[in-house]
Amino acid sequence: MSDCLFCGIVEGQVKGDVVYRDESVVAFRDIRPRAPVHILIIPRKHVATIQDLEAKDQAVVGQIFLVIAKLAREQGIAERGFRVVVNSGADAGQTVFHLHFHLLGGRHFTWPPG
Ligand code: AMP
Ligand code: ZN
């Protein structure tokens, strides 16, 4: 079994509330939601942080944004707007080191973030 939690969800060894999957991307609900809609979108391939992305990962990063747009429409948050967050590295507060995009919506967000 992988020692990466999110690889475990990709491989089905860890239970996840999966809302979308294709050949390169998986999306599942955050276990500790910070908004009415809080979904994590990840590459199937293990990449720890944005800093670890390589040129060959270009397509999956593009696909992730298309999946975010599709999920936002499906979840009814596209019209009013939503926030996409990537915590990349220690100073950003990243806790799970498998690159993930937080899709947050269904409430108003303030700026700047904490
Ligand atoms: P980050 O702080 O950006 O690394 O975000 C990690 C996110 O993963 C947090 O929002 C956690 O609530 C979420 N999380 C941790 N474990 C799980 C899990 N087993 N299933 C779904 N989400 C999780
Ligand atoms: Zn992983």
Side-chain angles (χ1 to χ4, degrees):
M1 177 168 165
S2 170
D3 59 1
C4 169
L5 178 65
F6 288 176
C7 281
I9 291 177
V10 168
E11 291 157 12
Q13 292 155 341
V14 175
K15 195 171 170 305
D17 186 358
V18 174
V19 295
Y20 178 87
R21 55 162 64 87
D22 65 25
E23 62 281 352
S24 62
V25 174
V26 175
F28 50 94
R29 293 194 189 277
D30 196 293
I31 205 165
R32 197 175 165 211
R34 306 292 186 153
V37 175
H38 189 173
I39 294 171
L40 303 176
I41 301 93
I42 70 171
R44 277 183 183 272
K45 175 193 164 186
H46 182 87
V47 178
T49 71
I50 289 178
Q51 296 88 313
D52 296 296
L53 283 167
E54 299 170 354
K56 65 185 178 197
D57 301 321
Q58 188 170 354
V60 71
V61 174
Q63 176 64 4
I64 283 171
F65 276 97
L66 294 175
V67 171
I68 288 170
K70 171 184 160 62
L71 289 171
R73 286 191 298 272
E74 287 177 2
Q75 298 288 322
I77 57 174
E79 198 167 321
R80 287 184 62 85
F82 52 84
R83 184 164 287 178
V84 175
V85 174
V86 180
N87 297 319
S88 193
D91 261 6
Q94 185 175 4
T95 59
V96 178
F97 281 79
H98 182 132
L99 177 64
H100 51 281
F101 292 64
H102 295 256
L103 169 60
L104 297 145
R107 68 171 171 86
H108 183 76
F109 297 97
T110 57
W111 191 264

